[in-house]
Amino acid sequence: MRIVFFGTPAFAVPTLDALLDSGEEVTAVVTQPDKRKGRSRILAPPPVKERAIEKKIPVLHPVNIKGPLFLEELMQFHPEIMIVVAYGKILPLNVLKLPPHGCVNVHASLLPKYRGAAPIQWAIIRGERKTGITTMLMDEGLDTGDILLQQELPISDDDNAETLGRSLAELGASLLVKTIQAIKQGTVKPTPQAGSPTFAPPLKKEDGRIHWSGTAEEIFSFVRGMYPWPSAYCILKQERIKIIRVKAVAGVSGKAGRIEGTSGNLLVGTGNGLISILELQAEGKRRMSARDFMQGKRLKAGDFFDEP
């Protein structure tokens, strides 16, 4: 089956690989334009583009996906189906209608839960114990299309958005191959989404601010969901500190945001329970254990993260 593949970040690469390994004909890849990264602001291609170049697949990175020129470019590749994995833009109707078998999206949630751009992060932040992958036929809405296949994946306490993203990327790749086979064989029936939807809007850098008035369990989930980007953070003595890894300590109370202990563990009060900070990173510094951090700072019980 001739496929045009839409995708941008590392999350989409395993699905592209799986399509190629299964013998499908990927005639072109559509991805976002190169972006400047790092302090040097050097232009860098997205991971999907790098893999497409490696595999000698033609790459398109249109600035305007709604214009007639892009549609004409797509038509030259004669797609029978189009696959979309974390591309980053909503496709217009004229593009969706182009392939005879439609456009199939690989979405990292159990739709209709967590429609939107950041389903992995929000599932962890909201304390979900499971998530999964949905393959669906795309329509003009935001992740509102009919479901083709779904597969669940548990979320462990050791997961953050990075580790869970890797697991879901692999699961999405295998489920997409199964979906393609089922479409070819006519054994899959698109099913309308059922139940009340929830949403996973894009995250901004400022969304990472920790609110210590939440419970220890809520902050534990929040820190995991925010890693590696935009990263949970707080302010200590007018310095922005990224909080990378924490543990919830139940059954003990303290004042929200106040350092309750510095002997061995860096303990911070919350609205209910304590947070033990295990790993953090000061601005312009390397990430380090809380123990190493405390050796370089004169912290004492009673100091505050985020002055009250």
Side-chain angles (χ1 to χ4, degrees):
M1 190 178 289
R2 290 189 306 278
I3 296 170
V4 171
F5 183 88
F6 287 69
T8 300
F11 178 83
V13 172
T15 304
L16 177 57
D17 287 342
L19 286 172
L20 296 171
D21 291 344
S22 66
E24 300 295 345
E25 183 186 359
V26 180
T27 58
V29 162
V30 184
T31 190
Q32 296 282 336
D34 298 359
K35 291 185 177 179
R36 298 190 181 278
K37 291 186 176 181
R39 293 181 180 178
S40 58
R41 308 304 293 161
I42 295 174
L43 272 176
V48 165
K49 180 179 178 180
E50 290 182 324
R51 184 56 52 88
I53 291 171
E54 177 187 327
K55 298 294 184 179
K56 297 180 171 55
I57 303 170
V59 177
L60 308 176
H61 29 73
V63 176
N64 180 15
I65 63 171
K66 296 182 179 180
L69 291 178
F70 177 56
L71 185 63
E72 290 175 12
E73 278 189 295
L74 282 179
M75 292 172 67
Q76 295 174 17
F77 295 99
H78 307 289
E80 296 174 272
I81 192 170
M82 295 197 299
I83 305 301
V84 181
V85 188
Y87 170 56
K89 291 184 179 180
I90 296 177
L91 302 186
L93 185 60
N94 61 351
V95 172
L96 293 173
K97 286 186 172 182
L98 177 60
H101 290 286
C103 296
V104 174
N105 178 237
V106 177
H107 186 75
S109 79
L110 299 173
L111 291 170
K113 296 190 79 171
Y114 300 107
R115 293 174 177 171
I120 299 170
Q121 292 93 329
W122 283 107
I124 297 176
I125 291 168
R126 297 301 183 209
E128 300 284 358
R129 303 309 301 174
K130 69 178 181 181
T131 183
I133 291 289
T134 301
T135 56
M136 67 171 178
L137 279 176
M138 296 175 68
D139 58 20
E140 288 185 279
L142 178 64
D143 301 323
T144 55
D146 289 353
I147 292 171
L148 296 170
L149 295 177
Q150 283 188 326
Q151 189 168 339
E152 292 184 1
L153 184 73
I155 301 174
S156 79
D157 285 346
D158 292 329
D159 273 320
N160 56 35
E162 182 177 57
T163 61
L164 185 60
R166 287 198 295 264
S167 298
L168 284 168
E170 296 297 332
L171 179 62
S174 64
L175 193 65
L176 189 274
V177 171
K178 293 176 185 176
T179 301
I180 294 291
Q181 292 303 314
I183 289 172
K184 287 180 177 180
Q185 296 163 7
T187 56
V188 64
K189 181 181 178 181
T191 305
Q193 295 184 29
S196 299
T198 59
F199 298 92
L203 291 168
K204 304 180 293 296
K205 192 173 182 179
E206 56 268 28
D207 292 332
R209 183 74 174 259
I210 294 174
H211 298 284
W212 296 104
S213 57
T215 68
E217 286 294 335
E218 288 169 344
I219 294 170
F220 172 63
S221 296
F222 181 81
V223 170
R224 290 159 51 228
M226 286 287 171
Y227 184 83
W229 196 93
S231 191
Y233 75 93
C234 56
I235 307 299
L236 177 64
K237 298 181 178 179
Q238 300 184 332
E239 184 180 11
R240 183 186 178 112
I241 308 292
K242 287 184 181 180
I243 306 299
I244 295 171
R245 197 161 57 90
V246 301
K247 180 173 68 175
V249 182
V252 188
S253 59
K255 190 172 181 62
R258 185 173 67 188
I259 295 175
E260 302 293 346
T262 58
S263 178
N265 295 317
L266 180 51
L267 297 172
V268 186
T270 73
N272 185 355
L274 298 179
I275 280 291
S276 176
I277 298 177
L278 305 176
E279 196 171 1
L280 41 65
Q281 184 176 12
E283 269 192 304
K285 304 290 179 62
R286 63 176 178 86
R287 56 190 287 177
M288 63 183 70
S289 69
R291 188 182 299 272
D292 289 344
F293 178 79
M294 286 188 292
Q295 287 178 352
K297 296 280 184 181
R298 293 181 178 178
L299 298 181
K300 62 182 185 300
D303 289 342
F304 272 87
F305 280 100
D306 304 318
E307 290 292 337

